[in-house]
Amino acid sequence: SAFLTSTPMRIGPSTTVTLAWDDGGRAALIELDDPRTLNALTEELMRTLAERISFASASRTVRALVLRAAGPHFCTGGRYEKKQLTRTPLPWWLRARGICGTGAVFDRIRTASVLSFSVLHGSSIGGGLLLGLAADHRVATRNATFRLGVAPYGLSPVVMATRVLPLLVGGAYSTRMYVEDL
């Protein structure tokens, strides 16, 4: 790899968000690695990701930010652990808090003073899809699949989906994604 790995930042028993630099410090690589949840957007992961993005963007030498994930999937959205499913789940609008808005992860990527890239592979679902879309440029592998994941719950797309997705894939296809949960 062209990146020199820094010390991974542990945010749980098996969860890390690694920040690495290229030899000249001009590119920063941020890698999600939570095999327990398939890189789901847990509260800890979102907080740590926001910190890493801010730190990399504040560097005077960094010109590009690359977001990727370890494991079989880029990001599987907002999932819960089995023990959390036994509790009453939070309403969707509270789960979305911290994802969009001033200082939140998606906005930090979208407004970074450097070019941002996301490398998408495996599944990118719901907030995971939106996380990938927040970057200036996106690269998808042949095995990448995308879905919003809201139709089975009777929800309408929230956050950036209604603004950004139609610009990227067109109005007709984004509507199909909303309705058919593609």
Side-chain angles (χ1 to χ4, degrees):
S1 174
F3 290 94
L4 304 171
T5 304
S6 69
T7 305
M9 180 180 223
R10 292 228 169 262
I11 58 174
S14 63
T15 306
T16 59
V17 176
T18 302
L19 176 60
W21 310 92
D22 70 343
D23 287 334
R26 290 186 279 289
L29 171 72
I30 297 179
E31 182 176 66
L32 310 178
D33 188 4
D34 187 355
R36 181 180 47 89
T37 67
L38 300 174
N39 299 323
L41 297 174
T42 62
E43 188 175 325
E44 296 85 9
L45 187 129
M46 293 294 288
R47 183 177 56 251
T48 307
L49 182 57
E51 291 169 6
R52 293 292 190 165
I53 291 166
S54 294
F55 184 79
S57 297
S59 169
R60 286 188 260 162
T61 61
V62 170
R63 299 291 176 252
L65 176 65
V66 179
L67 179 62
R68 74 174 187 192
H73 302 287
F74 175 70
C75 182
T76 56
R79 299 257 173 126
Y80 293 97
E81 294 180 45
K82 287 181 182 176
K83 65 181 179 182
Q84 289 176 307
L85 290 175
T86 59
R87 297 185 220 155
T88 305
L90 292 172
W92 64 269
W93 59 86
L94 290 178
R95 289 196 315 258
R97 210 174 100 205
I99 293 174
C100 193
T102 306
V105 173
F106 293 168
D107 285 341
R108 287 184 193 198
I109 295 170
R110 286 183 31 242
T111 61
S113 59
V114 299
L115 282 175
S116 58
F117 300 84
S118 58
V119 182
L120 308 167
H121 70 282
S123 296
S124 297
I125 303 170
L129 171 59
L130 299 177
L131 180 63
L133 294 178
D136 297 319
H137 303 280
R138 294 146 295 278
V139 177
T141 62
R142 287 183 186 258
N143 75 335
T145 59
F146 310 100
R147 47 183 286 247
L148 288 170
V150 295
Y153 305 103
L155 301 174
S156 63
V158 294
V159 192
M160 294 175 15
T162 55
R163 288 186 297 145
V164 176
L165 195 57
L167 293 173
L168 296 173
V169 300
Y173 194 75
S174 64
T175 300
R176 278 192 61 209
M177 286 184 79
Y178 301 153
V179 174
E180 298 175 27
D181 197 31
L182 298 177

